[in-house]
Amino acid sequence: MSQIEDRLAAAGVVLPQPNAPVANYVPFIRLGDLVHISGQVSLDAGGGIKGVVGQDVDLVTAQSAARLCGLSLLAQMKAACQGDLDRVVRVVKLNGFVQAGPDFFDIPKVINGASDLMVEAFGDAGRHARSAVGVYRLPMNFAVEVDAVVAVS
């Protein structure tokens, strides 16, 4: 197990299996030392967190949804690095999308669920540039989706 996985395990974090694509795309593309990871939705073994944030989903649950996205991103990073998360040099950027109701404006607070996990996993190398955007709808009614760009060795 990598040092990163040891750190996550000590914190009680278990990585899921990487999610398979649900349409005509690939889970990630590596170009040189950058890996572009497709959007990961707030899916877990129980079906995930779905609904409109600010209506069906409260802020705390939405932050948990973003953390689920982050866990799936870590699983994709591991796959892109042939099973060794220690090969992640830097989380470069996260793009977060929240299926937000008309009166919900705490979009950045939601995406902190994924951002905080990256710092928990990688320390300072997990600090990243970021976009946090409220959208009308997300695929399959998931509450949150996050994609990533990471530098790897």
Side-chain angles (χ1 to χ4, degrees):
M1 203 181 310
S2 73
Q3 291 179 359
I4 300 301
E5 284 186 270
D6 288 343
R7 181 183 309 153
L8 291 169
V13 176
V14 177
L15 294 183
Q17 290 297 313
N19 295 322
V22 297
N24 188 16
Y25 63 91
V26 295
F28 59 84
I29 294 285
R30 182 171 177 172
L31 185 60
D33 66 348
L34 291 179
V35 176
H36 295 258
I37 303 171
S38 296
Q40 304 295 302
V41 293
S42 48
L43 178 65
D44 64 9
I49 299 173
K50 296 184 176 189
V52 177
V53 179
Q55 292 178 346
D56 313 313
V57 178
D58 64 22
L59 174 61
V60 172
T61 304
Q63 289 170 323
S64 295
R67 186 174 175 89
L68 287 175
C69 297
L71 289 169
S72 293
L73 287 170
L74 290 171
Q76 295 293 355
M77 287 177 206
K78 182 177 176 181
C81 292
Q82 292 77 44
D84 185 3
L85 280 174
D86 289 346
R87 292 183 54 202
V88 173
V89 174
R90 181 80 194 231
V91 179
V92 177
K93 184 162 188 192
L94 297 184
N95 295 300
F97 306 93
V98 177
Q99 183 172 241
D103 296 319
F104 185 81
F105 300 100
D106 286 332
I107 310 307
K109 289 180 183 177
V110 171
I111 302 305
N112 282 346
S115 292
D116 292 348
L117 179 62
M118 295 304 126
V119 175
E120 184 179 342
F122 301 108
D124 282 341
R127 297 190 187 285
H128 50 272
R130 185 178 90 175
S131 295
V133 180
V135 298
Y136 174 68
R137 290 290 179 254
L138 285 173
M140 297 170 279
N141 196 35
F142 282 101
V144 181
E145 181 173 353
V146 182
D147 66 31
V149 178
V150 296
V152 299
S153 61

